[in-house]
């Protein structure tokens, strides 16, 4: 008889955002007249920009003509997009990254879940606590995390790096050995950022220990502070120890189109093997590449008009973040994040548990957020709101929360 992957039995409940969706759908069914404002999952609400739409139209027309029709995309992505990424996201920032180190994919979520496949199951994984659940879940599925302890709410083989109000939600270097370290800055869920000199310490630590950092830069477009790095490759030595993940979802609104990329530098070598070649091998076997029309849409993001439109989109969401921050502060909430990131992290009132606050907000205000404990034990007593709503809904949500 077939045997199942028993590591899946170790996953806790359903995926955080599916669990929230289930609760919200049940509430909506029971309260059909209530307008629900969704500031839970970090999904965008503004339409795709003019440059992106026009690139999509042209690419669709090319697909309709036998002279310009395209079949399978190249394994690692079309050269035109890898070139645009390389020039704009790296060379323009002084980072030494080359086109053959960029792997186009269908998004940062699949990349962050899949990248662990190139590492042995014995490796010890270090994560921030709280943390985007995909990093932990994908390592649990691979059998790398040990058993879940109900009392602590943690897996016994993971090294958790607490992010608390005391350390400004930026973790200290781990005391225990970690082989694979996940970092995400600007951070999901806390909205915290890391300064370049701080990030440099992580790079030096990884190089000294032979570990690999998986740096999730999905929210870099939201950085305003010039002292905050957009890429880990702004730090020296990062080519030897870091993989970086990017998304077109949060800057350009591609959550429904799907496009992202991973950077795996050729200098990243362990046991005499280049991780670049391992990831290339995996891509060739397991991806069919993002669709041509979507890659053309991604290229349009880097045109002059495209860049201006993206800046306007980001500014739009950051205006929401400012409204949430100032409204909640005025109402007496302790809030952080939201200045260089689209997430606002708030302390629940009276140390209420984060799921209780979730229920209260949904039932009494019709507002959906994300309970902090869903991101890890250190998230208990916290709550995440996203800035990805419309101006109108965001203002209404703040009004309703403040009236609680
Ligand atoms: C989040 O809400 O944390 C993210 O949007 C989820 C994702 O990007 O997969």
């Amino acid at each position: 008889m077939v045997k199942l992957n028993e590591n899946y039995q170790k996953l806790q409940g359903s995926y955080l955002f599916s669990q929230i969706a289930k609760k919200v759908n049940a509430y909506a069914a029971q309260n059909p007249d209530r307008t629900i404002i969704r500031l839970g999952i970090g999904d965008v609400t503004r339409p795709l920009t003019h440059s992106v739409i026009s690139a999509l139209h042209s690419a669709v027309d090319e697909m309709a003509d036998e002279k310009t029709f395209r079949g399978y995309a190249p394994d690692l992505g079309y050269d035109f997009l890898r070139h645009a990424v390389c020039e704009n996201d790296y060379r323009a920032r002084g980072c030494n990254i080359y086109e053959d180190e960029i792997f186009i994919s269908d998004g940062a979520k699949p990349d962050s879940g899949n990248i662990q496949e190139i590492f042995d199951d014995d490796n010890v994984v270090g994560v921030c606590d709280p943390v985007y659940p995909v990093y932990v879940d994908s390592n649990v599925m691979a059998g790398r995390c040990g058993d879940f302890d109900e009392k602590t709410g943690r897996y016994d083989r993971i090294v958790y790096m607490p992010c608390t109000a005391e350390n400004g939600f930026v973790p200290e270097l781990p005391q225990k050995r970690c082989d694979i370290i996940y970092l995400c800055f600007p951070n999901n869920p806390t909205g915290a950022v890391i300064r370049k000199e701080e990030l440099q310490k992580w790079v030096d630590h990884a190089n000294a220990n032979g570990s690999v950092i998986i740096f999730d830069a999905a929210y870099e477009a939201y950085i305003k502070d010039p002292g905050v790095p957009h890429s880990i490759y702004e730090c020296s030595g990062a080519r030897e120890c870091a993989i970086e993940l990017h998304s077109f979802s949060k800057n350009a609104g591609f959550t429904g189109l799907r496009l992202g990329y991973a950077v795996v530098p050729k200098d990243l070598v362990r046991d005499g093997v280049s991780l670049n070649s391992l990831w290339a091998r995996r891509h060739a076997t397991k991806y069919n590449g993002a669709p041509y029309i979507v890659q053309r849409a991604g290229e349009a993001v880097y045109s002059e008009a495209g860049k201006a439109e993206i800046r306007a989109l980001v500014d739009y969401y950051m205006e929401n973040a400012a409204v949430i921050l100032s409204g909640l502060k005025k109402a007496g909430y302790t809030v952080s994040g939201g200045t260089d990131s689209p997430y606002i992290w708030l302390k629940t009132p009276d140390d209420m548990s984060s799921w209780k606050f979730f229920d209260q907000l949904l039932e009494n205000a019709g507002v959906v957020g994300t309970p902090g404990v869903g991101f890890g034990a250190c998230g208990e007593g916290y709550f995440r709101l996203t800035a990805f709503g419309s101006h109108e809904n965001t203002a209404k949500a703040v009004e309703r929360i403040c009236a609680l």
Side-chain angles (χ1 to χ4, degrees), residues 15 17 40-43 109 132 134 188 219 250 343 375 384:
Y15 182 58
F17 296 109
I41 191 165
D43 195 2
K109 178 179 177 180
Y132 177 44
V134 171
N188 177 14
Y219 302 95
K250 316 294 174 170
Y343 292 127
F375 297 103
R384 191 192 78 174

Side-chain angles (χ1 to χ4, degrees), residues 188-199:
N188 177 14
T190 65
V193 288
I194 192 164
R195 304 195 69 76
K196 187 170 169 188
E197 55 280 14
E198 279 301 309
L199 187 57

Side-chain angles (χ1 to χ4, degrees), residues 7 11 112-113 116-117 119-120 123 125 127 133-146 158 180 182 214:
N7 297 317
L11 290 166
S112 61
Q116 48 77 27
E117 283 187 24
F119 298 101
D120 189 272
N123 286 300
V125 171
V127 294
V134 171
Y135 315 149
V136 173
D137 282 5
S138 55
N139 279 288
V140 171
M141 290 167 176
R144 214 172 272 121
C145 299
I158 289 195
I180 307 168
Y182 288 83
I214 297 169

Side-chain angles (χ1 to χ4, degrees), residues 184-188 191-193 216-217 219-220 222-223 228-229 340-342:
C184 171
F185 287 105
N187 186 257
N188 177 14
V193 288
D216 185 344
Y219 302 95
E220 65 78 19
Y222 289 83
I223 295 170
V228 172
D340 296 275
S341 102

Side-chain angles (χ1 to χ4, degrees), residues 166-240:
E166 287 68 39
N167 60 23
F169 303 105
V170 175
E172 324 317 333
L173 293 174
Q175 300 296 321
K176 289 193 198 148
R177 187 183 64 92
C178 297
D179 304 301
I180 307 168
I181 298 172
Y182 288 83
L183 293 178
C184 171
F185 287 105
N187 186 257
N188 177 14
T190 65
V193 288
I194 192 164
R195 304 195 69 76
K196 187 170 169 188
E197 55 280 14
E198 279 301 309
L199 187 57
Q200 184 65 57
K201 288 185 200 162
W202 286 85
V203 169
D204 296 344
H205 175 84
N207 276 326
N209 292 293
S211 40
V212 172
I213 296 175
I214 297 169
F215 190 78
D216 185 344
Y219 302 95
E220 65 78 19
Y222 289 83
I223 295 170
K224 295 251 183 300
D225 184 335
V228 172
H230 288 250
S231 163
I232 195 164
Y233 303 114
E234 290 175 45
C235 296
S236 59
R239 283 185 55 81
E240 284 83 40

Side-chain angles (χ1 to χ4, degrees), residues 16 21 26 75 98 143 178 201 233 242 260 304 315 348 379 402:
L16 174 63
D75 294 338
Y98 304 93
C178 297
K201 288 185 200 162
Y233 303 114
E304 280 318 305
D315 287 348
T348 59
C402 294

